[in-house]
Amino acid sequence: MAVRLHINIDHVATVRNARGTRYPDPVLAAQLCEAAGADGITAHLREDRRHIRDDDVIRLRGAISTMLNLEMGATPEMIAFAEKVRPEVISLVPERREERTTEGGLDVLAQRPAVEAAIVMARRAGIKVSLFINPDPAVVEAAAAIGAQQIELHTGEYCTATEPGHSPALVASELARIAAATKRGRELGLDVAAGHGLTRHNVGPVVAIAGIEEVNIGHSVIADAVLFGLERAVRDLRAAIDRALAGRA
Ligand code: PXP
């Protein structure tokens, strides 16, 4: 079974916003990702708009040809926005203002009224709902019970376990947790995605798990793009300077 690759372009906007410029444009980045074979584009509209902004999502909606996965907190503001923009998928994530990134999965039971409100809107608008949860079979069951069509399993703890200094046994047990949650999700008829902290070095064992259908990857691919693209960027800048110098008296 093929695994869909969704690229999260949030951190293109992080670089843009660091200087208040119009570049680099996350919409152009999304189109480049599609040209390179991405199956979908993911963007997280955070409450504090620290990277992606409302206008980026509206422009993405009109500019991409694959599918748009809008990550959002299950708040009335975001639900109304998603109803207006109509991405193919909304991924509901927990959101804490002070966190650097989404640190854990959604507590489906504690947030039940808010999640249900988002699911009701999504059904009405024909939008698929994915819940970003920890790889725990009990939470998978709660996600199915509440009416989600997809779960995205948080791979953060697995990714941390793959870093130097951690034991191979911990990697194996984290992969086993993801595999068990995937199996339970598939038994319950859910689509299963995975994401957070994945890189080209650690993604292999995750996509090898039977039943995983999609990965969402952001930070590491933008980081790789910075390094792999730097040589070309410096050459282009050098060429621009040399052209100008050729015309100087
Ligand atoms: N999936 C979800 C639900 C996320 O919130 C994030 C981070 O925004 C990702 C995937 C991508 O994580 P990373 O940037 O670490 O690849």
Side-chain angles (χ1 to χ4, degrees):
M1 185 173 65
V3 173
R4 296 189 298 275
L5 172 60
H6 285 197
I7 301 294
N8 178 318
I9 42 77
D10 292 350
H11 295 300
V12 177
T14 303
V15 175
R16 176 194 63 189
N17 298 355
R19 291 291 290 270
T21 48
R22 294 169 72 95
Y23 68 85
D25 181 5
V27 175
L28 180 54
Q31 290 172 321
L32 292 171
C33 293
E34 288 185 321
D39 301 298
I41 300 298
T42 302
H44 185 175
L45 187 63
R46 295 187 76 101
E47 188 195 3
D48 62 9
R49 309 301 197 268
R50 70 176 72 156
H51 38 57
I52 293 294
R53 298 173 181 152
D54 301 45
D55 175 60
D56 295 325
V57 181
I58 291 164
R59 290 189 306 119
L60 280 169
R61 172 67 299 174
I64 66 173
S65 56
T66 54
M67 57 179 291
L68 179 61
N69 175 9
L70 178 63
E71 286 180 14
M72 52 183 248
T75 63
E77 181 205 5
M78 288 299 160
I79 292 170
F81 182 75
E83 189 165 25
K84 191 173 74 165
V85 175
R86 301 205 174 212
E88 277 76 16
V89 185
I90 53 170
S91 291
L92 300 180
V93 299
E95 213 176 282
R96 287 193 301 119
R97 208 172 257 264
E98 65 278 16
E99 69 190 356
R100 237 189 297 179
T101 178
T102 314
E103 284 163 1
L106 194 65
D107 185 341
V108 177
L109 293 180
Q111 286 218 46
R112 187 172 183 137
V115 173
E116 274 178 345
I119 290 175
V120 167
M121 175 284 294
R123 283 246 169 84
R124 201 170 48 220
I127 300 170
K128 181 175 177 179
V129 178
S130 181
L131 303 186
F132 187 47
I133 60 171
N134 289 331
D136 172 345
V139 187
V140 175
E141 284 162 18
I146 210 169
Q149 291 125 304
Q150 176 168 298
I151 49 172
E152 179 177 345
L153 299 173
H154 196 304
T155 50
E157 291 190 21
Y158 155 71
C159 293
T160 303
T162 64
E163 286 168 5
H166 294 83
S167 75
L170 186 59
V171 174
S173 75
E174 288 301 334
L175 284 171
R177 285 178 68 210
I178 296 168
T182 302
K183 184 164 174 286
R184 192 70 192 115
R186 299 293 298 154
E187 284 165 0
L188 294 167
L190 297 169
D191 293 344
V192 182
H196 207 280
L198 294 172
T199 69
R200 65 199 154 89
H201 303 293
N202 65 25
V203 71
V206 173
V207 295
I209 294 171
I212 299 259
E213 298 170 295
E214 174 188 306
V215 284
N216 279 283
I217 306 182
H219 188 262
S220 71
V221 72
I222 302 306
D224 280 347
V226 169
L227 286 190
F228 300 150
L230 193 55
E231 190 178 332
R232 157 87 190 269
V234 173
R235 284 186 203 289
D236 285 356
L237 184 57
R238 177 83 261 170
I241 291 170
D242 290 346
R243 274 195 306 277
L245 287 180
R248 194 158 80 171

